[in-house]
Amino acid sequence: MAATESLSGPNDLDERERAAVESLLYRLADDEFVIADRYTDWQVRAPTVESDIAIANIAQDELGHARLWYDLLEDFGHSEPDLIWERDPETFRHSTLCELPFAEGDWADAIVRSYFYDEAEHLRLEALEESSYPRIRDRVGKIVGEEGYHREHAENWLRRLVSGEEGRERVQEAVDELFPYALTLFEETEDDEAIDDLGLRTRTLSAMREEWIETVTGTLTEIGIDARAPETDEDGQVLTGELPDHVGRDGDHTDHWATHYDEITNTYRELGRDHAARLMEDPDDE
Amino acid sequence: MDLDTVKERAGPRQFSPDDDMPRKYREAATRMIQFHANSEIMGAYLERPFIREAPSLDRKLAYSAKTQDELGHGQLLYRAAESLGIKTREQMLDELANGEGKFLNCFHYPMESWVETPMIAFFVDGAAMRRQATLKRTSWEPYAHAMDKVVFEEGFHIKHGESILKELATGSKKEQEMVQDAFELWWPRIIQFFGPTDDDSTHHDFSAEVGLKQMTNDELRQSFLNQYLPKAEKYGLEIPDTPTIEQDEDGNYRVAEDELDWEEFFQIAKNEYDPGRGQIDSRKRAHDAVEWVRDTLDEYETTTSGHAPQAAD
């Protein structure tokens, strides 16, 4: 893709530019926020103390990334309550991969999901390193390093899990279940043409999906797990039959999301809050 | 080393795995550190649902960091306990999962609302801090060493707990009332945190003689009340009438301990308190549900003869 001229700050964008930037940011922020909150289900319940600390670490990284992306949306005048606490849950744009609950003890699901997600996240961030929107570019650098660790973590665990019969079966089940949901990470919205045109990202979703499919099916086959590439039409779009009923990117979610969102906002509603505390000091940095 | 020598030499960070410690010392230290490690895990278990329910993104981040830190403390402490050669870490974790492991009284009570979180994250952690700060001078060096990190990180947790309390106490009238109710519910439990007066404590004498414990329960409770009564008042919390707390002419607090429910306390100490059983049992279910993963790991490590990838756990 040809190098695009750099866009300016949030206040100088025209309507089309702003819609494209926001659309991209909502997906980034919502994915990270929702999958992070799901991962916290494993905190103090993971198989070993070490894996417990690792999954907590990953959840926190993703929450931190959500913070960075939501902050960029705040540049457009949205407050945290607008973006999270008082938002219509049907306007969340995360992929449905992020919202599925974990069955108790299904660590294979956590690992496969994180593997799928982090491989996709890696490609997505690479495509943002040269984004024409400077504030996105600046933040990508902070995130890339952490995602490397996440991928290593997931792949390491995959190899260990498939070494036993039960683990192999469970990984296979998780792959069968989650693969269609993972494809939704690459589903397009009406804004994607503008996103590519404006150089907000330097690779299209289809190109990223193609590489993602090659990588994950390659790795899974190598470790003895069946995974096949989904069928596509002439334009390289995944056939609808290969996708789950709810895609997420268009605001259409599984029923799990409504329940999950209700739990997330429980305190906020119980206390009748109208603002969200921003802590001056990040407790990690003090 | 015989017991007399131990008592003679007992001092801060005096003994390490290089010393040949008598069994009685090793058992007492194991009991104490295992209790501490278990408490870190069960405290985190109690607080975990509030990562999800935290009412702001920053609070969610801070709460998630806190439970992760506590798991890390548990990990450090089990190692410090393991270094005494009495129990392996697996044994201690199994005991905890099976409901045999003992842990702090406050972590047996269910927590249902966000307004209760500062009761743990400020008051209970603050109480624990009194004790932990003195344990930097305990005689078992690996324990004292673990305390350096634990105390450092707990400092941030308490600051965050205080920030939650302050937000609620200066919030809407409804929030202020809710936090006062939570305080009244938790206050007697928090006072009981330090256990009954020293006369009733079975393990204290020996632990003090060999330098494992540095202060008595009573001294710790005084220190806690000195620091936290003014803080509670500062945030407009009314100190509940029960138990009666009076200051004598030397400024020491006298707690009317007989007004507290010690039957419940000792039931809890035996892991027999019903609501607490709920916590223990649900954690056991979660622990058992991932037994298959631990089995897979064991097998993997055996078949790869210890050359398992170590980079990421």
Side-chain angles (χ1 to χ4, degrees):
Chain A
M1 203 168 294
T4 320
E5 208 173 312
S6 209
L7 296 174
S8 40
N11 299 322
D12 304 309
L13 302 181
D14 66 30
E15 209 176 305
R16 177 169 171 262
E17 290 166 343
R18 176 175 161 161
V21 172
E22 285 203 23
S23 166
L24 185 62
L25 287 172
Y26 271 114
R27 276 177 265 175
L28 287 163
D30 294 346
D31 277 349
E32 298 280 44
F33 179 73
V34 176
I35 203 164
D37 202 82
R38 268 290 158 223
Y39 285 148
T40 68
D41 277 327
W42 284 104
Q43 287 191 235
V44 209
R45 292 160 109 175
T48 61
V49 180
E50 284 69 28
S51 55
D52 212 314
I53 292 171
I55 195 94
N57 205 351
I58 291 171
Q60 260 178 90
D61 286 346
E62 310 297 28
L63 277 177
H65 304 164
R67 162 97 276 161
L68 293 175
W69 300 129
Y70 283 128
D71 277 354
L72 291 194
L73 282 162
E74 289 189 13
D75 292 345
F76 294 105
H78 308 297
S79 66
E80 193 179 309
D82 298 339
L83 294 169
I84 301 175
W85 309 102
E86 297 175 25
R87 189 165 151 198
D88 177 351
E90 288 178 13
T91 65
F92 274 77
R93 290 287 182 261
H94 57 273
S95 140
T96 40
L97 178 75
C98 306
E99 74 196 27
L100 300 176
F102 295 107
E104 185 155 47
D106 200 354
W107 184 244
D109 180 331
I111 294 303
V112 170
R113 195 183 305 197
S114 149
Y115 174 67
F116 283 165
Y117 182 81
D118 290 316
E119 285 295 340
E121 186 65 1
H122 165 65
L123 296 170
R124 168 155 78 170
L125 292 172
E126 262 185 354
L128 294 174
E129 280 175 336
E130 302 296 323
S131 170
S132 57
Y133 190 62
R135 293 189 183 196
I136 290 182
R137 256 189 343 251
D138 292 347
R139 274 156 185 80
V140 170
K142 288 185 185 171
I143 301 178
V144 171
E146 292 173 353
E147 294 292 348
Y149 163 74
H150 299 179
R151 286 159 70 215
E152 194 186 328
H153 175 263
E155 207 175 314
N156 239 318
W157 261 109
L158 270 184
R159 289 177 193 279
R160 285 187 279 182
L161 287 181
V162 298
S163 70
E165 198 180 330
E166 180 168 10
R168 208 194 57 76
E169 277 168 23
R170 282 177 179 262
V171 167
Q172 183 67 59
E173 274 170 37
V175 166
D176 294 344
E177 164 76 13
L178 296 174
F179 198 93
Y181 286 97
L183 290 172
T184 70
L185 285 162
F186 304 98
E187 276 305 286
E188 288 185 1
T189 70
E190 56 186 19
D191 300 301
D192 281 283
E193 208 178 306
I195 289 171
D196 291 327
D197 263 6
L198 293 165
L200 293 177
R201 107 190 130 209
T202 54
R203 265 182 111 186
T204 63
L205 287 169
S206 322
M208 287 191 267
R209 179 176 53 222
E210 213 173 299
E211 185 176 340
W212 180 87
I213 290 171
E214 210 179 293
T215 308
V216 303
T217 54
T219 303
L220 292 172
T221 309
E222 185 214 316
I223 61 172
I225 297 295
D226 297 329
R228 61 162 187 90
E231 288 184 45
T232 52
D233 62 20
E234 296 127 29
D235 301 329
Q237 297 304 318
V238 172
L239 296 183
T240 318
E242 301 277 4
L243 294 170
D245 291 344
H246 307 278
V247 168
R249 286 286 186 247
D250 51 359
D252 179 33
H253 293 279
T254 64
D255 292 342
H256 303 299
W257 170 236
T259 316
H260 187 189
Y261 182 75
D262 228 41
E263 288 168 7
I264 289 173
T265 54
N266 181 40
T267 300
Y268 189 91
R269 285 178 289 109
E270 183 192 14
L271 301 179
R273 287 268 167 98
D274 56 10
H275 64 279
R278 181 82 194 233
L279 307 176
M280 296 302 287
E281 297 162 308
D282 180 344
D284 278 340
D285 295 338
E286 277 178 291
Chain B
M1 201 183 301
D2 62 39
L3 273 177
D4 288 335
T5 319
V6 173
K7 287 176 188 172
E8 208 177 299
R9 280 185 48 193
R13 304 188 185 221
Q14 203 47 243
F15 308 121
S16 77
D18 294 338
D19 295 300
D20 174 29
M21 302 306 289
R23 189 165 185 95
K24 195 174 176 195
Y25 177 93
R26 293 187 290 124
E27 280 174 351
T30 302
R31 184 167 49 235
M32 192 169 158
I33 304 171
Q34 183 182 1
F35 181 92
H36 197 163
N38 289 345
S39 300
E40 294 281 356
I41 306 284
M42 293 310 288
Y45 188 76
L46 183 63
E47 292 185 296
R48 182 194 57 83
F50 293 94
I51 306 171
R52 172 155 301 153
E53 298 203 10
S56 96
L57 189 49
D58 277 7
R59 293 252 183 258
K60 195 187 273 289
L61 264 162
Y63 229 79
S64 169
K66 179 184 196 305
T67 58
Q68 186 191 358
D69 285 349
E70 275 151 9
L71 260 297
H73 300 168
Q75 185 187 34
L76 266 180
L77 288 163
Y78 284 123
R79 249 183 233 150
E82 202 171 39
S83 69
L84 288 149
I86 298 288
K87 289 180 189 173
T88 65
R89 192 175 82 147
E90 277 58 43
Q91 264 174 301
M92 293 184 270
L93 284 166
D94 283 345
E95 284 177 16
L96 180 65
N98 293 333
E100 295 154 32
K102 305 295 167 58
F103 57 96
L104 279 175
N105 73 319
C106 288
F107 299 151
H108 288 254
Y109 295 97
M111 192 158 70
E112 269 144 29
S113 166
W114 174 258
V115 296
E116 293 176 79
T117 62
M119 302 308 139
I120 297 282
F122 183 55
F123 290 108
V124 175
D125 284 0
M129 186 64 129
R130 301 293 92 219
R131 182 182 281 157
Q132 290 174 151
T134 70
L135 291 174
K136 285 174 135 184
R137 301 173 64 247
T138 186
S139 60
W140 185 243
E141 196 280 335
Y143 192 19
H145 185 71
M147 279 308 106
D148 290 336
K149 184 175 159 70
V150 171
V151 167
F152 178 75
E153 291 180 350
E154 283 296 333
F156 299 125
H157 299 174
I158 294 169
K159 271 175 82 176
H160 184 235
E162 184 165 10
S163 152
I164 297 173
L165 178 63
K166 186 178 173 187
E167 190 184 17
L168 292 164
T170 57
S172 65
K173 189 156 176 295
K174 181 180 170 189
E175 288 185 23
Q176 291 177 23
E177 283 168 6
M178 285 171 83
V179 79
Q180 176 67 35
D181 287 348
F183 186 59
E184 281 170 25
L185 180 66
W186 281 86
W187 180 245
R189 307 166 178 175
I190 293 164
I191 299 295
Q192 285 183 309
F193 172 96
F194 296 102
T197 37
D198 302 327
D199 304 0
D200 300 334
S201 170
T202 30
H203 303 305
H204 181 74
D205 288 350
F206 178 76
S207 305
E209 279 168 7
V210 296
L212 283 168
K213 278 193 186 172
Q214 296 291 317
M215 272 170 99
T216 65
N217 288 343
D218 206 34
E219 287 167 330
L220 291 168
R221 191 192 296 112
Q222 289 293 333
S223 154
F224 170 74
L225 290 171
N226 269 323
Q227 225 180 347
Y228 281 80
L229 277 176
K231 286 187 196 239
E233 280 162 358
K234 174 180 157 193
Y235 293 115
L237 292 174
E238 236 175 275
I239 311 297
D241 295 335
T242 311
T244 312
I245 299 174
E246 283 169 339
Q247 228 171 348
D248 64 22
E249 57 240 30
D250 301 327
N252 287 324
Y253 290 106
R254 302 214 152 274
V255 177
E257 283 183 63
D258 53 353
E259 294 171 18
L260 294 164
D261 187 347
W262 293 104
E263 203 179 309
E264 183 177 280
F265 180 85
F266 286 112
Q267 216 182 4
I268 282 176
K270 286 184 275 180
N271 290 351
E272 284 168 7
Y273 177 64
D274 248 8
R277 281 309 308 187
Q279 299 273 110
I280 294 168
D281 293 344
S282 79
R283 187 174 172 280
K284 177 172 167 43
R285 271 199 312 279
H287 186 80
D288 289 348
V290 280
E291 184 70 41
W292 71 272
V293 184
R294 290 187 293 275
D295 290 345
T296 304
L297 282 182
D298 286 347
E299 205 179 313
Y300 182 77
E301 269 152 40
T302 318
T303 51
T304 55
S305 45
H307 296 297
Q310 297 293 320
D313 284 307

